Amino acid sequence: MSSSLLKSLKAIAAISCYYSSKRIKIRSASGILLGWSLFSTKDSPTDFIQSFVQGEGSQPNFTKFMAEPVTSSEEIKTKMGEMTAKMELMIMGVQAEFCKALEAEEEGGDTFKVDRWIRKEGGGGITCVLQDGQTFEKAGVNISVVSGHLPSAAVTQMRSRGKNLKEGASLPFFAAGISSVIHPRNPMVPTIHFNYRYFEVRDPTDSSVQWWFGGGTDLTPYYLNESDCQHFHKTLKNACDKHDKTYYKKFKKWCDDYFHVTHRGERRGVGGIFFDDLDTPSKEEAFAFVTECARAVIPSYIPLVKKHKDDGYGYAERQWQLLRRGRYVEFNLIYDRGTKFGLFTPGARYESILMSLPLTAKWEYMHSPKEGSREALLTEVLKNPKDWV
């Protein structure tokens, strides 16, 4: 199986910049907009996408993205009404804005290296990585847009999650997603991870399509700052509440449960939201929700970077950060199902799969924080997740 498929199944896959309250409005219903199923809400995904691709006349403009789209511009124009095109353009837009937002925090002028790759079986991706920056020790923002036929291992895994897929059949699929992990240099700035993805599988016997969305955003601090946690969770809750007031509580618990480092008896961080197999209430409404969550990433995180990137710290704080990064690595390599699936598959593209790992980490034998210390305070919250809003 190719590495690009692995990345999509893992959701090495939507972020947007820290938006102001005034969004760009659709100015024309002609040309490129004719194919879109337009939303009536002023903060619609269509508005967001249109702010990137509005060109002269009917021709889309892709110069605001980090690279050319994976799908050819001619094909995208013919599929503007389909979710495959909508998802690709949305994740390309959020990739570009998040990369620009992160670069703006690098006072030394560090920028992302852009690696656009093509998958011979269909599709490809764009990997953006910034390393050894003044603010970010390692930051990765990846998208993948791939298609082909599902291998039997993937069908079996999806059937185990309740998908009604024919075992042993060759099933055409499409997957698009964005995934990002940001490892800051200063221990007072937390690490953030998020991914948002769309998947569809076609049954060639009757042309029926099964589709679903998944994703989430979670925070991993090295030192506990309760106001930071409250800000982060409140921002995500506000995004969820715009679509379904039951989402935040349900998806927060799902996040706490998923990012559980079982052998350590603790969570990877202070959580956030996590969901999978979302196929209600409709495709367009689910897409709007995923886009909303993506738009919430920067306002949930960038203020924390600005607040703490110049905080003072010493050798002890750096060593604790490296130890906590070790726990991050443990979860990714031992429990994360996407990482495991990728690493044990022949032909995997390891550089992209392991993008989520920090440049440096540390393990000490039987390490335990001193009772009453700031390190012990964080550990207690990781062992006993709490409600932040």
Side-chain angles (χ1 to χ4, degrees):
M1 188 189 309
S2 72
S3 60
S4 51
L5 170 56
L6 303 173
K7 290 181 289 181
S8 291
L9 294 174
K10 179 191 172 187
I12 294 183
I15 321 175
S16 165
C17 90
Y18 195 0
Y19 282 88
S20 64
S21 60
K22 181 181 291 186
R23 307 255 191 227
I24 298 174
K25 302 297 186 293
I26 298 176
R27 293 189 290 269
S28 170
S30 64
I32 194 172
L33 292 180
L34 287 178
W36 290 99
S37 299
L38 297 180
F39 290 74
S40 60
T41 57
K42 79 172 187 176
D43 290 333
S44 74
T46 301
D47 290 331
F48 170 66
I49 295 168
Q50 188 62 16
S51 70
F52 281 90
V53 302
Q54 182 69 58
E56 294 294 330
S58 63
Q59 296 302 311
N61 177 9
F62 298 138
T63 60
K64 294 182 181 180
F65 296 141
M66 298 301 287
E68 283 289 312
V70 174
T71 305
S72 70
S73 60
E74 290 303 315
E75 184 176 352
I76 286 180
K77 285 193 292 183
T78 65
K79 295 183 175 180
M80 295 299 277
E82 299 181 19
M83 186 55 66
T84 54
K86 294 179 182 182
M87 188 68 182
E88 178 172 359
L89 293 176
M90 187 272 281
I91 62 177
M92 294 223 30
V94 299
Q95 179 190 48
E97 292 211 331
F98 192 47
C99 287
K100 298 302 182 186
L102 295 174
E103 288 177 347
E105 300 305 317
E106 285 290 355
E107 297 177 5
D110 295 278
T111 60
F112 279 88
K113 175 182 179 180
V114 180
D115 177 17
R116 184 179 183 273
W117 49 270
I118 297 298
R119 175 176 177 263
K120 65 179 181 179
E121 298 86 349
I126 301 169
T127 298
C128 297
V129 176
L130 187 157
Q131 292 187 152
D132 278 326
Q134 182 173 323
T135 301
F136 303 109
E137 193 167 318
K138 186 178 181 184
V141 189
N142 298 349
I143 72 159
S144 61
V145 181
V146 300
S147 59
H149 287 77
L150 285 176
S152 58
V155 174
T156 299
Q157 194 271 342
M158 291 175 183
R159 283 170 57 86
S160 71
R161 302 202 326 261
K163 298 302 177 185
N164 185 23
L165 303 177
K166 295 181 179 179
E167 194 165 12
S170 179
L171 302 175
F173 81 96
F174 171 88
I178 182 167
S179 180
S180 177
V181 178
I182 310 301
H183 293 291
R185 186 171 297 280
N186 192 314
M188 304 305 160
V189 180
T191 282
I192 191 173
H193 156 262
F194 72 92
N195 72 75
Y196 292 98
R197 57 196 179 273
Y198 172 71
F199 209 102
E200 66 178 36
V201 182
R202 293 183 179 273
D203 187 332
T205 62
D206 59 10
S207 297
S208 62
V209 177
Q210 293 188 56
W211 60 268
W212 62 92
F213 291 89
T217 306
D218 62 281
L219 194 71
T220 303
Y222 305 99
Y223 286 91
L224 187 66
N225 184 304
E226 296 206 356
S227 66
D228 290 351
C229 297
Q230 290 164 359
H231 166 82
F232 179 79
H233 278 267
K234 183 177 181 180
T235 306
L236 298 184
K237 183 179 185 300
N238 289 342
C240 289
D241 286 352
K242 291 180 182 179
H243 297 266
D244 189 321
K245 292 188 181 300
T246 69
Y247 277 174
Y248 172 75
K249 182 177 181 181
K250 178 168 56 177
F251 296 159
K252 186 222 182 259
K253 183 180 186 306
W254 199 339
C255 186
D256 288 337
D257 292 342
Y258 180 77
F259 292 105
H260 185 203
V261 187
T262 307
H263 66 281
R264 297 289 189 181
E266 62 188 33
R267 272 64 181 179
R268 190 174 74 175
V270 295
I273 58 173
F274 179 88
F275 59 92
D276 206 353
D277 300 321
L278 182 68
D279 56 8
T280 59
S282 72
K283 186 181 291 187
E284 296 295 347
E285 289 173 293
F287 178 54
F289 169 63
V290 166
T291 305
E292 189 80 54
C293 291
R295 289 176 171 179
V297 172
I298 286 183
S300 74
Y301 182 62
I302 293 298
L304 308 185
V305 176
K306 292 179 179 293
K307 179 180 176 182
H308 297 296
K309 69 178 184 179
D310 295 321
D311 286 359
Y313 67 92
Y315 177 81
E317 288 78 14
R318 173 62 172 174
Q319 297 309 301
W320 173 248
Q321 179 193 47
L322 297 179
L323 284 168
R324 292 310 312 172
R325 285 182 178 175
R327 302 293 173 90
Y328 201 96
V329 171
E330 289 176 23
F331 175 85
N332 283 23
L333 297 185
I334 298 174
Y335 298 108
D336 187 77
R337 63 190 185 208
T339 303
K340 290 192 295 182
F341 189 70
L343 290 176
F344 288 102
T345 302
R349 190 181 186 193
Y350 298 110
E351 289 293 333
S352 295
I353 295 171
L354 299 177
M355 176 277 299
S356 64
L357 302 183
L359 281 184
T360 52
K362 181 178 180 179
W363 285 263
E364 287 186 8
Y365 182 70
M366 298 294 287
H367 180 273
S368 180
K370 182 179 179 181
E371 185 176 353
S373 66
R374 297 174 64 193
E375 293 79 6
L377 178 62
L378 173 68
T379 303
E380 177 61 27
V381 170
L382 299 181
K383 292 180 180 294
N384 300 287
K386 61 182 294 185
D387 293 329
W388 296 103
V389 294

